[in-house]
Amino acid sequence: MRSSEEKSQLKKFPKRLQSFYANWSKHQSPEWMDAKLVVFRAPPSSRYWCAASSSRDQCDPDQDSLNFFEWLFGESLDDAYIVLSLTEIYAVCTDGNYDCSYNAKFLSSFTDVAKKKVGVDFVVKGKDSGRTLRETLVAMASGFRRQMRPPGVKEKEKEKEMEKVVVGFIGDKAPDVELAKWMEWKDVTDAFCRVAGYK
């Protein structure tokens, strides 16, 4: 049986996720820098030293990505990434995560709510899946590339014909992941802070 705190967070989750998506969809440019994907990262052992507060006057750039987990899920995690598109959420536990089983179990409790209340697929992968963050980003971005390719443009030609897929990140710097040459990082920290009420 779920605790009252867990039930309360499950009620907040779809409302906050809907507000996040509504703002992102409405203000893709310029606020969200035309990002098609947004990445949030929880560094190792973040649960033990990060405590976000919605009453703060402004965001601390070093804490913003961690604040996302607190704001949306009600708890910070350790050594995990969340990748969002407008139709899918993909959670990745990295190879160095000693508490990956906790992350996977915790995040999986939100998957049904995400689908039923918001209409987005929420996929949770542990380190045993072998799926890296880069592979996840390239796979999800490739879907956008196929949709964006003009009729009659061949695969080899489209890199010259089409704009890069923007991947938004939160915090003081982008994750240490080399993107494909047709992708690029852009800072969307301010956009998230406005949605979460930090600014």
Side-chain angles (χ1 to χ4, degrees):
M1 182 178 296
R2 298 185 186 277
S3 68
S4 58
E5 184 177 347
E6 289 175 320
K7 291 179 179 178
S8 175
Q9 190 57 41
L10 283 173
K11 289 182 179 180
K12 293 178 182 179
F13 170 75
K15 294 179 181 178
R16 291 184 173 181
L17 186 60
Q18 285 174 335
S19 69
F20 177 89
Y21 274 122
N23 187 278
W24 183 13
S25 180
K26 183 178 180 180
H27 302 291
Q28 281 202 26
S29 179
E31 285 88 345
W32 289 91
M33 308 295 289
D34 291 314
K36 301 301 182 184
L37 302 173
V38 178
V39 177
F40 294 89
R41 178 177 183 266
S45 301
S46 63
R47 261 193 308 137
Y48 302 102
W49 56 268
C50 173
S53 172
S54 60
S55 63
R56 294 182 310 165
D57 293 331
Q58 61 183 25
C59 285
D60 178 347
D62 294 329
Q63 300 293 314
D64 296 337
S65 198
L66 296 175
N67 293 338
F68 168 79
F69 290 89
E70 288 277 359
W71 176 75
L72 188 59
F73 301 108
E75 182 173 338
S76 290
L77 301 180
D78 297 315
D79 211 3
Y81 287 97
I82 296 284
V83 182
L84 296 96
S85 73
L86 289 173
T87 59
E88 182 180 16
I89 304 171
Y90 206 102
V92 183
C93 299
T94 66
D95 290 340
N97 185 4
Y98 63 87
D99 207 8
C100 187
S101 60
Y102 174 84
N103 284 355
K105 182 178 180 180
F106 175 75
L107 292 173
S108 293
S109 66
F110 295 90
T111 56
D112 288 343
V113 178
K115 185 64 174 179
K116 293 177 181 178
K117 299 291 187 178
V118 189
V120 296
D121 294 319
F122 191 169
V123 180
V124 179
K125 292 290 184 179
K127 62 183 179 181
D128 57 346
S129 69
R131 188 79 175 268
T132 65
L133 175 61
R134 185 184 189 279
E135 290 169 340
T136 299
L137 290 171
V138 171
M140 294 175 74
S142 294
F144 288 108
R145 295 284 285 183
R146 287 191 292 271
Q147 296 172 18
M148 293 163 56
R149 186 173 64 182
V153 176
K154 296 180 180 180
E155 186 73 19
K156 292 183 179 180
E157 298 175 345
K158 70 179 181 179
E159 291 187 5
K160 298 180 180 180
E161 297 287 336
M162 298 166 59
E163 296 181 358
K164 291 184 177 182
V165 175
V166 175
V167 181
F169 68 90
I170 309 297
D172 59 339
K173 62 180 180 179
D176 188 18
V177 174
E178 183 179 356
L179 299 176
K181 60 183 179 180
W182 45 268
M183 301 167 67
E184 65 178 326
W185 291 111
K186 286 193 178 180
D187 186 349
V188 296
T189 303
D190 287 346
F192 165 67
C193 288
R194 284 191 289 270
V195 174
Y198 294 147
K199 285 189 177 181

